[in-house]
Amino acid sequence: MPPHSDYIRRENTALAYGLAIAGMVAFTPVFAAGKIADGLLPVVVLVWLRFLGGAVTIVGFGAIRRVPIVSQLSPLWKLHLMRAFCGIGGLACSIHAASILPLADATAIGLTKGIIAIALAGLILKELITGRHWLSGALCAIGAYLVVRSVSGGGGQTTLALDGVVAALMAAVFMACEALIMRYIAQRENTVTILAYVNVFASVLLTLPVLWIIREQQIPLSSLWAFAWLGPVAIIGQSLNISAYRRAGAATLAPIYYSSVVLAAVFAYVVWGEVPSPIAAVGAGLIILGGLVLSCPLPFRKVQGSRRG
């Protein structure tokens, strides 16, 4: 299925970065849901609430806007199903990791998805991977490492639980795969259809086992309602991410997602009182520099091109 002209936007790295950052702001509390719940709800129930709430939100929005979501089966339904599996795996692993590790630590480990996405974008999507991509990725990775070291106290004082580290790495793999699928379908179908399929598929896949867990553990309805915000907030984040992928390739967007560790550090400071050290500012500066490496033009090359002309 070729790209649809109505869903393709002119390449705009700066705007894509802005949309991606806004999406990360929305997703930060979603990924921290396990730490916020503090054992009140199992991870799988939180994931189910996120997708069920997302399905209700986007289907309701589609009905109001009269978007034909189910007039015919999407020819890309298999990709939507694959993305649903990746979304469930990525979110479950992220929430589990963040419930065990310090939030910034879990986020930083998960940022290996950027390097994975860059490699997969070149191998699978045949996107052009240049030296600027790798330089940007390296700068962002170093910056993220400095931020997480500062938040965790540095000097190896915080011992990371092995299962938390494994969960964060698995989340990175799932999210890298999801990013590539999103890049492909974002240029072929409208946003409401994309979000409806992934949220409905994921919620349907989880409903029966989660209802069994709720019954077995006698989870009260009040606890479920306390996290009803997960779905609508995630839909906002997903919409912004889709808009970003319509304006830039997966390899181009991958490095900017390193700034999520900065957002996680800020969120942890506001909610739990974690105070970043000065080295965190250095790390944040490197992350921003990594983004500028891709978003800013190369004047030297332009000058050379004009001289040749």
Side-chain angles (χ1 to χ4, degrees), residues 56-287:
V56 172
T57 300
I58 197 62
V59 171
F61 176 82
I64 294 173
R65 295 292 297 270
R66 297 182 179 179
V67 178
I69 300 174
V70 293
S71 59
Q72 60 180 4
L73 185 64
S74 167
L76 300 176
W77 69 269
K78 292 181 181 179
L79 286 178
H80 288 296
L81 185 59
M82 289 175 58
R83 184 173 170 234
F85 276 110
C86 290
I88 291 172
L91 182 60
C93 291
S94 296
I95 291 177
H96 178 64
S99 67
I100 297 174
L101 308 176
L103 181 59
D105 285 13
T107 302
I109 295 171
L111 290 178
T112 54
K113 69 181 181 182
I115 300 300
I116 297 171
I118 287 176
L120 291 179
L123 293 174
I124 298 176
L125 298 184
K126 306 302 181 183
E127 291 186 2
L128 178 62
I129 311 298
T130 68
R132 296 179 71 182
H133 288 108
W134 294 113
L135 176 59
S136 176
L139 289 171
C140 291
I142 295 172
Y145 174 77
L146 293 177
V147 172
V148 73
R149 290 290 292 179
S150 68
V151 173
S152 62
Q157 296 177 7
T158 301
T159 301
L160 303 181
L162 180 59
D163 55 344
V165 173
V166 172
L169 289 173
M170 288 301 298
V173 175
F174 279 122
M175 288 187 287
C177 294
E178 184 182 10
L180 299 186
I181 297 173
M182 186 185 298
R183 170 62 172 172
Y184 183 84
I185 62 179
Q187 295 181 330
R188 289 160 175 82
E189 293 186 338
N190 65 73
T191 300
V192 175
T193 299
I194 293 171
L195 294 181
Y197 268 95
V198 69
N199 284 277
V200 170
F201 276 160
S203 59
V204 169
L205 290 170
L206 292 172
T207 293
L208 287 180
V210 167
L211 289 179
W212 180 83
I213 291 174
I214 292 174
R215 179 181 177 181
E216 287 295 310
Q217 299 187 12
Q218 298 182 346
I219 299 175
L221 185 61
S222 59
S223 298
L224 300 177
W225 276 114
F227 289 87
W229 54 270
L230 286 172
V233 171
I235 288 295
I236 294 173
Q238 283 185 311
S239 300
L240 293 166
N241 282 337
I242 290 174
S243 295
Y245 279 106
R246 283 187 176 142
R247 292 168 172 84
T252 299
L253 283 174
I256 198 60
Y257 281 102
Y258 281 103
S259 63
S260 63
V261 72
V262 179
L263 298 176
V266 172
F267 186 83
Y269 169 73
V270 172
V271 178
W272 294 289
E274 294 180 354
V275 180
S277 68
I279 196 172
V282 177
L286 288 175
I287 292 171

